[in-house]
């Protein structure tokens, strides 16, 4: 048949060549293709077919293309003499489906191409590939509460054979399911030629099976042979809450002592069939009927028990026991699934319930009653009220009654006798009577104390009963201290710097007063001394005012006196040092003066040291001069005329300063003298009398002295005086703040102080009367029998020996014996 076809082909070809011989002599034709079955086992080579040409002359056959000199190479070969095509090895259809070649016939005599034809060789597919799953194994996870009809897994497979033939098409099938249970069934639904999905029907139950192994087969449709492969799907089930927890019992005392908190009183046990450790198993407890929030319940993570602890202390006197109820649920919502029928259709008949917001199972949760007993113990006494406030004016004398503490004991079955004591009293302001609870001041109270906050001083107090064990109650006493005008206004700074200009300039000065209004600001400022046309204050009233320097003021350091009065007229005169300089050369006059002051201080220190050294030398000379003259007694029994060792100074011959100094009379003594005291017409007493004992507060000159002293001490960080003498001079200059009668009294006091200081400083009166005590005269017996006898050697002594000295010793002899001077 093939030969007939080739003959017909060449006949048509020859006719065509004859008709078109003048146009074209050669033409390429494509003849019918040959077929090769893939993976043909041979034997090789075997004959594929023959290409024949009807020629009167000899020709050679050649073959080129895929399968010969192109991939896959050396599969085909042609006999150049007879045109037979031979197959020499296998061809894989999955690699090459068609081999395209070129057939040529050449004239043997001329070696020219006579004929060129196209040849196609088709590779026939056979069923040599089984379907393959990708991936080979599958892992799936499903919640136990998942509804039936959900996709478990999607599977995919491929076949290397021709998909247009039965060899390349396949189908899926479930081979096995392990384990076999009656609550669930799996089935497949293809979604394409190579894809299928696994579904389940029924109800998943973790307790029956928590893992399913599903084997799925993919099998092709080959005619001669059918190839297949399998894949495994492992489906893991996550346990969900399909079993309700139930309280089964309780352990623990179920009792708590009153006032105890943070203690465990009870544990409740629960049973749950869900998987231990899962959210479906973990219990979540709730307390019912505890409006006051006395208790809390927590879950023990290991045992799943409910642990009840006391959150807030209870009082036995109010209630002897507490009744509450408990309920338990799981951390995840409850669900249920029940199979009601297994019809022959895609899904079964099931009944489900899923707990959610506003949707709960009837009769759930169940309440479990619990009773907690309260045990009576000794309660601490309580202050009435717990925080007490009392008011008192500052500077009230010590021992003033503040209040009487009150307390009660809430116990009914224990002792109620108790006593009071202090807790925290930082500055020891009060004393407390332990039996009566009366509170008294222990010192003079000062509103300006740094321990006060908003003029209030707090003391912690305790009340202790006599129970077993003793219990202590705590209270607070807040002492609110009223203010008095007991502080003087003080300048914030007493040194200023101003620039020298041809016009008036000003700077700010500010005073402070530790008292509260109306005993402090606004202040009244007044310049004292000869300041007219030089200095003035504008305005004269306020907290901060302007110090105005007129243009007539020259450069240098100017010492001003300023009288500062508070809002009630209490005043203090102070020194203000103002340095005026040319600011064009020295930007800061104050710094310039400070630098100069440092150098001056060094010089003053040297002068003081020199003065003290000189004073020490004079004092030593004076002490030496006060001793009795002592004469040396010479002896002639010693060669070389040495001075005699005699008249050694004995104890008791030194000069001594009197031990007692006349004491200064106290102000109270001076006040008792009628010629020194008159009626006080100073500041109105109505402004300061706040307590009965304050009647003579401003009548006492000593207290006014203390007033000034406290003001200076409290403002020591703001002001420092150069010496104690300058402070005394300042006191003398401030007599203007007191009345005329007080001035006379103070003048007498200062006179007395000056007289005593003069006695200390007078050289003539520095030593007391002193006479040496004579124990015995030479040649007489010892007067004082308490002294031991002294034995002196009997030496012949010639006093005239000192008169016959050589000239080198005349000076020494004149010192020892002045009567021998020539």
């Amino acid at each position: 048949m093939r030969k007939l076809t080739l003959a017909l082909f060449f006949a048509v070809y020859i006719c065509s060549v004859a008709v078109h011989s003048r146009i074209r002599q050669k033409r390429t034709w494509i003849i019918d293709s040959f077929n090769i079955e893939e993976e043909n086992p041979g034997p090789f080579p075997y004959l594929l077919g023959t290409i024949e040409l009807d020629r009167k002359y000899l020709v050679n056959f050649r073959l080129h293309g895929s399968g010969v000199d192109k991939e896959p190479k050396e599969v085909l070969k042609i006999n150049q003499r007879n045109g037979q095509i031979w197959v020499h090895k296998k061809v894989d259809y999955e690699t090459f489906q068609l081999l395209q070649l070129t057939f040529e016939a050449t004239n043997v005599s001329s070696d020219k191409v006579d004929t060129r034809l196209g040849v196609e060789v088709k590779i026939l597919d056979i069923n040599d590939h089984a379907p393959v799953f990708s991936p080979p194994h599958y892992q799936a996870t499903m919640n136990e509460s998942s509804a039936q009809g959900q996709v478990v897994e999607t599977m995919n497979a491929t076949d290397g054979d021709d998909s247009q033939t039965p060899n390349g098409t396949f189908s899926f099938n479930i081979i096995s399911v392990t384990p076999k249970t009656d609550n669930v069934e799996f089935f497949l639904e293809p979604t394409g030629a190579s894809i299928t999905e696994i579904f389940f029907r029924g109800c998943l139950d973790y307790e029956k099976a928590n893992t399913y192994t599903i084997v799925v087969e993919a099998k092709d449709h080959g005619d001669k042979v059918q190839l297949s492969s399998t894949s495994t799907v492992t489906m893991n089930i996550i346990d969900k809450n399909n079993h309700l927890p139930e309280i089964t019992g309780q352990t623990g005392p179920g009792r708590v002592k009153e006032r105890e908190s943070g203690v465990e009183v009870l544990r409740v046990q629960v049973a749950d069939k869900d998987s231990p450790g899962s959210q479906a198993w973990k219990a979540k407890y709730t307390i019912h009927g505890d409006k006051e929030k006395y208790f809390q319940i927590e879950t023990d993570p290991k045992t799943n028990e409910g642990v009840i602890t006391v959150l807030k202390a209870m009082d036995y006197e109010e209630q002897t026991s507490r009744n509450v109820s408990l309920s338990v649920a799981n951390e995840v919502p409850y669900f249920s699934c029940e199979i009601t029928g297994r019809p022959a259709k895609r899904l079964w008949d099931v009944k489900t319930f899923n707990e959610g917001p506003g949707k709960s199972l009837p009769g759930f949760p169940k309440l479990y009653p619990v009773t907690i007993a309260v045990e009576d113990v000794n309660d601490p006494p309580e202050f009435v009220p717990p925080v007490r406030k009392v008011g008192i004016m500052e500077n009230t004398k010590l021992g003033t009654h503040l209040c009487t503490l009150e307390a009660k004991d809430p116990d009914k079955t224990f002792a109620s006798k108790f006593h009071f004591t202090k807790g925290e009293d930082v500055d020891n302001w009060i004393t407390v009577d332990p039996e009566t609870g009366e509170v008294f001041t222990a010192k003079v109270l000062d509103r300006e104390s740094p321990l006060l906050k908003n003029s209030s001083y707090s003391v912690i107090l305790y009340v202790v009963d006599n129970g077993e064990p003793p219990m202590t109650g705590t209270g607070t006493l807040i002492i609110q201290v009223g203010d008095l005008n007991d502080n003087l206004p003080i300048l914030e700074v007493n040194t200023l710097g101003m620039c020298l200009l041809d016009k008036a300039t000003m700077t700010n000065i500010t005073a402070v007063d530790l008292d509260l209004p109306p005993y402090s600001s606004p202040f009244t400022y007044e310049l004292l001394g000869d300041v007219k046309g030089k200095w003035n204050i504008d305005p004269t009233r306020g907290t901060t005012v302007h110090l105005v320097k007129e243009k007539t003021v020259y450069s240098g350091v100017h010492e001003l006196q300023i009288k500062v009065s508070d809002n009630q007229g209490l005043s203090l005169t102070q020194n203000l040092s103002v340095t005026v300089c040319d600011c064009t050369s020295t930007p800061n006059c104050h710094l310039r003066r400070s630098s100069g002051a440092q150098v001056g201080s060094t010089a003053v220190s040297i002068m003081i040291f020199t003065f003290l050294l000189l004073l020490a030398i004079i004092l030593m000379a004076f002490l030496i001069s006060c001793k009795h003259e002592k004469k040396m007694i010479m002896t002639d029994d010693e060669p070389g005329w040495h001075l005699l060792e005699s008249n050694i100074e004995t104890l008791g011959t030194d000069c001594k300063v009197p031990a007692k100094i006349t004491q200064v009379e106290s102000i109270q003594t001076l006040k008792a003298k009628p010629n020194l005291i008159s009626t006080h017409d100073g500041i109105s007493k109505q402004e300061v009398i706040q307590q009965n004992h304050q009647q003579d507060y401003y009548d006492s000159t000593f207290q006014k002295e203390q007033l000034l002293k406290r003001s200076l001490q409290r403002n020591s960080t703001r002001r420092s005086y150069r010496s104690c003498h300058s402070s005394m001079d300042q006191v003398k200059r401030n007599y203007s703040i007191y009345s005329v009668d007080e001035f006379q009294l103070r003048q007498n006091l200062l006179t007395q102080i000056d007289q005593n200081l003069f006695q200390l400083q007078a050289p003539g009166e520095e030593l007391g009367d002193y006479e040496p005590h004579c124990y015995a005269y030479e040649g007489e017996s010892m007067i004082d029998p308490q002294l031991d006898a002294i034995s002196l050697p009997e030496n012949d002594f010639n006093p005239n020996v000192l008169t016959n000295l050589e000239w080198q010793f005349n000076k020494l002899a004149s010192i020892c014996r002045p009567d021998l001077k020539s």
Side-chain angles (χ1 to χ4, degrees):
M1 182 67 180
R2 184 173 295 276
K3 291 182 179 180
L4 179 61
T5 303
L6 289 175
L8 180 61
F9 167 75
F10 284 114
V12 175
Y13 170 74
I14 293 171
C15 292
S16 176
V17 171
V19 174
H20 300 91
S21 60
R22 295 183 180 180
I23 300 174
R24 186 172 183 179
Q25 295 181 353
K26 300 176 182 178
R27 184 179 296 271
T28 300
W29 293 85
I30 298 177
I31 63 176
D32 290 339
S33 62
F34 297 95
N35 293 324
I36 298 178
E37 190 179 71
E38 72 165 332
E39 302 298 332
N40 191 325
F44 300 103
Y46 65 86
L47 180 63
L48 178 62
T50 303
I51 299 177
E52 296 180 355
L53 289 178
D54 188 8
R55 291 287 188 273
K56 294 180 178 180
Y57 49 85
L58 294 177
V59 294
N60 288 330
F61 300 99
R62 288 183 294 187
L63 199 62
H64 305 284
S66 298
V68 179
D69 52 5
K70 294 182 181 179
E71 293 296 336
K73 295 180 180 181
E74 299 180 353
V75 174
L76 302 174
K77 289 185 179 180
I78 189 170
N79 189 315
Q80 63 179 358
R81 295 296 181 184
N82 55 22
Q84 291 181 344
I85 301 174
W86 294 84
V87 179
H88 287 263
K89 62 181 180 179
K90 295 179 181 180
V91 180
D92 185 10
Y93 171 84
E94 284 70 34
T95 306
F96 301 98
Q97 289 81 31
L98 180 65
L99 303 179
Q100 294 181 338
L101 304 100
T102 301
F103 167 78
E104 293 179 348
T106 60
N107 193 326
V108 174
S109 59
S110 62
D111 199 25
K112 292 182 179 180
V113 176
D114 179 77
T115 303
R116 181 177 286 114
L117 299 174
V119 179
E120 290 183 351
V121 179
K122 292 182 180 180
I123 309 302
L124 300 178
D125 184 31
I126 64 171
N127 191 13
D128 60 344
H129 291 87
V132 177
F133 285 93
S134 178
H137 302 286
Y138 293 85
Q139 289 283 341
T141 301
M142 296 289 290
N143 288 326
E144 184 184 17
S145 57
S146 298
Q148 65 172 344
Q150 293 190 18
V151 176
V152 176
E153 188 60 82
T154 299
M155 306 183 71
N156 182 48
T158 59
D159 195 321
D161 294 321
D162 188 358
S163 61
Q164 303 300 320
T165 66
N167 296 333
T169 58
F170 53 89
S171 58
F172 298 94
N173 185 36
I174 295 178
I175 300 299
S176 64
V177 176
T178 306
K180 287 281 188 180
T181 59
D182 60 353
N183 61 293
V184 67
E185 187 176 276
F186 299 93
F187 60 93
L188 300 175
E189 286 188 357
T191 58
S194 60
I195 301 174
T196 189
E197 292 178 338
I198 303 178
F199 296 86
F200 81 93
R201 49 178 162 253
C203 299
L204 298 177
D205 192 341
Y206 181 88
E207 284 67 39
K208 288 187 176 181
N210 54 27
T211 301
Y212 285 96
T213 302
I214 307 169
V215 179
V216 179
E217 178 191 54
K219 187 175 184 180
D220 65 24
H221 304 150
D223 295 331
K224 296 180 180 180
V225 62
Q226 294 178 346
L227 302 179
S228 64
S229 64
T230 59
S231 177
T232 302
V233 178
T234 301
M235 188 184 77
N236 298 308
I237 299 176
I238 299 175
D239 189 21
K240 290 298 180 179
N241 186 20
N242 64 334
H243 294 89
L244 293 173
E246 183 179 356
I247 296 176
T248 58
Q250 67 182 51
T251 58
R255 307 179 66 85
V256 62
K257 294 181 180 180
E258 64 172 336
R259 297 195 319 276
E260 273 190 340
S261 62
V263 295
E264 178 183 321
V265 294
L266 200 66
R267 281 178 173 253
V268 294
Q269 288 76 44
V270 65
D272 196 319
K273 296 180 181 179
D274 289 313
S275 176
S278 66
Q279 288 184 319
W281 174 82
K282 293 181 179 178
K284 183 174 62 176
Y285 298 89
T286 304
I287 299 179
H288 304 271
D290 184 24
K291 297 180 180 180
E292 297 85 358
K293 304 297 181 184
Y294 283 108
F295 307 101
Q296 73 172 4
I297 185 167
E298 295 177 329
T299 304
D300 188 322
K302 295 181 179 179
T303 64
N304 214 27
E305 293 178 319
V307 182
I308 301 178
T309 56
V310 179
L311 194 63
K312 187 169 63 175
M314 292 177 285
D315 191 350
Y316 176 83
E317 282 69 30
E318 294 181 359
Q319 193 170 357
T320 59
S321 63
R322 295 277 175 174
N323 296 318
V324 297
S325 298
L326 305 178
S327 65
V328 61
N330 295 118
E331 292 185 356
V332 293
Y334 170 78
F335 85 96
S336 64
C337 181
E338 181 182 357
I339 301 172
T340 59
R342 293 178 174 83
K345 57 182 181 179
R346 185 174 181 271
L347 299 178
W348 291 347
D349 296 332
V350 296
K351 181 181 179 180
T352 61
F353 173 82
N354 288 280
E355 185 181 14
K359 187 178 180 181
S360 59
L361 193 67
F364 184 82
K366 296 180 180 179
L367 297 182
Y368 183 83
V370 172
T371 300
I372 306 296
V374 181
E375 296 181 355
D376 190 22
V377 296
N378 184 21
D379 292 313
E382 301 173 354
F383 279 97
V384 181
V387 178
R388 186 163 187 173
K389 297 181 179 180
V390 295
I392 187 173
M393 299 304 297
E394 66 173 330
N395 300 323
T396 302
K397 64 181 180 180
L398 60 87
T400 301
H401 182 268
L402 287 176
C403 64
T404 300
L405 301 176
E406 296 182 8
K408 66 176 183 178
D409 195 333
D411 269 326
K412 298 177 182 179
T413 58
F414 290 86
S416 59
K417 185 177 181 181
F418 41 79
H419 64 277
F420 300 93
T421 182
K422 277 197 314 180
E424 182 184 45
D425 183 5
V426 179
D427 203 24
N428 196 28
W429 272 25
I430 66 168
T431 58
V432 179
D433 189 307
E435 301 299 330
T436 64
E438 292 182 299
V439 181
F440 301 91
T441 59
K443 59 171 57 178
V444 177
L445 309 185
D446 184 10
R447 193 203 65 82
E448 289 74 32
S449 171
L451 300 176
L452 270 68
K453 184 177 181 180
N454 297 327
S455 301
S456 297
Y457 180 81
S458 297
V459 179
I460 303 299
L461 301 170
Y462 299 134
V463 55
V464 185
D465 64 15
N466 59 344
E468 288 296 334
M471 301 303 295
T472 301
T474 303
T476 303
L477 177 64
I478 300 177
I479 304 174
Q480 297 174 329
V481 184
D483 190 26
L484 291 176
N485 195 9
D486 59 344
N487 289 279
L488 298 173
I490 302 295
L491 291 175
E492 278 191 341
V493 295
N494 60 354
T495 58
L496 295 173
M498 299 184 70
C499 295
L500 181 64
L501 299 174
D502 56 357
K503 61 179 180 180
T505 58
M506 65 178 62
T507 187
N508 291 337
I509 56 175
T510 303
V512 293
D513 193 327
L514 297 181
D515 292 322
L516 297 175
Y519 303 123
S520 56
S521 62
F523 306 116
T524 301
Y525 296 81
E526 180 184 356
L527 283 172
L528 305 180
D530 184 16
V531 295
K532 186 175 182 181
K534 301 177 183 178
W535 306 89
N536 67 82
I537 294 177
D538 181 35
T540 59
R541 188 169 176 80
T543 301
T544 300
V545 296
H546 301 306
L547 175 64
V548 181
K549 177 186 70 66
E550 302 294 343
K551 63 182 179 180
T552 58
V553 177
Y554 56 87
S555 63
V557 179
H558 301 267
E559 301 291 340
L560 305 179
Q561 284 192 333
I562 298 182
K563 179 181 177 182
V564 185
S565 305
D566 63 18
N567 199 27
Q568 300 297 321
L570 196 63
S571 64
L572 177 64
T573 301
Q574 304 164 65
N575 289 334
L576 177 63
S577 179
V578 183
T579 302
V580 180
C581 70
D582 185 3
C583 293
T584 58
S585 58
T586 305
N588 195 325
C589 298
H590 180 66
L591 292 179
R592 176 182 178 183
R593 186 187 176 196
S594 298
S595 177
Q598 292 177 0
V599 177
S601 300
T602 304
V604 171
S605 300
I606 296 175
M607 295 174 62
I608 293 175
F609 176 75
T610 305
F611 173 75
L612 293 176
L613 182 61
L614 180 61
L615 183 63
I617 294 174
I618 295 175
L619 180 61
M620 291 177 62
F622 178 76
L623 293 176
I624 294 174
S625 65
C626 72
K627 295 181 180 180
H628 290 284
E629 182 180 5
K630 300 174 184 177
K631 297 182 179 180
M632 304 301 295
I633 302 176
M634 304 297 293
T635 179
D636 57 355
D637 60 350
E638 295 288 339
W641 301 296
H642 295 285
L643 295 178
L644 296 178
E645 298 179 358
S646 180
N647 288 346
I648 302 301
E649 181 180 349
T650 60
L651 297 175
T653 60
D654 289 338
C655 300
K656 296 183 179 179
V657 179
K660 295 183 179 180
I661 300 176
T662 304
Q663 302 295 323
V664 180
E665 288 189 45
S666 66
I667 295 178
Q668 289 80 357
T669 305
L670 293 175
K671 183 178 178 181
K673 297 180 181 180
N675 60 336
L676 295 180
I677 301 177
S678 61
T679 303
H680 173 62
D681 296 324
I683 302 172
S684 174
K685 299 177 182 177
Q686 298 300 325
E687 301 179 8
V688 297
I689 298 177
Q690 304 295 337
Q691 302 281 341
N692 292 336
H693 69 279
Q694 295 287 87
Q695 184 67 32
D696 58 348
Y697 178 77
Y698 278 111
D699 291 342
S700 173
T701 305
F702 177 73
Q703 290 180 346
K704 280 188 171 287
E705 184 72 24
Q706 294 300 315
L707 180 149
L708 177 59
K709 180 178 179 181
R710 286 198 302 269
S711 296
L712 295 177
Q713 289 176 347
R714 291 166 182 165
N715 295 275
S716 60
T717 58
R718 302 183 178 93
R719 295 290 306 273
S720 60
Y721 291 90
R722 298 181 178 178
S723 65
C724 62
H725 291 289
S726 62
S727 297
M728 186 60 69
D729 292 339
Q730 183 69 28
V731 174
K732 294 178 181 179
R733 288 196 297 270
N734 289 336
Y735 286 147
S736 58
I737 67 175
Y738 302 107
S739 64
V740 177
D741 298 329
E742 294 170 343
F743 176 82
Q744 183 62 36
L745 178 61
R746 185 177 296 277
Q747 188 64 33
N748 282 275
L749 171 63
L750 296 176
T751 301
Q752 183 68 24
I753 293 174
D754 291 340
Q755 290 175 359
N756 285 277
L757 292 175
F758 180 78
Q759 291 179 3
L760 292 175
Q761 297 174 357
E765 299 178 7
E766 181 178 353
L767 301 176
D769 294 337
Y770 174 80
E771 291 183 0
H773 180 71
C774 182
Y775 292 96
Y777 292 100
E778 184 178 358
E780 297 181 0
S781 61
M782 185 170 58
I783 297 176
D784 194 340
Q786 295 180 357
L787 299 178
D788 296 333
I790 299 176
S791 299
L792 298 176
E794 296 295 335
N795 294 329
D796 294 330
F797 174 71
N798 185 7
N800 294 328
V801 72
L802 300 177
T803 61
N804 298 322
L805 299 174
E806 295 182 1
W807 65 271
Q808 295 92 337
F809 301 99
N810 288 337
K811 185 66 175 178
L812 180 60
S814 64
I815 294 174
C816 297
R817 293 287 302 275
D819 57 303
L820 297 179
K821 294 181 180 180
S822 56

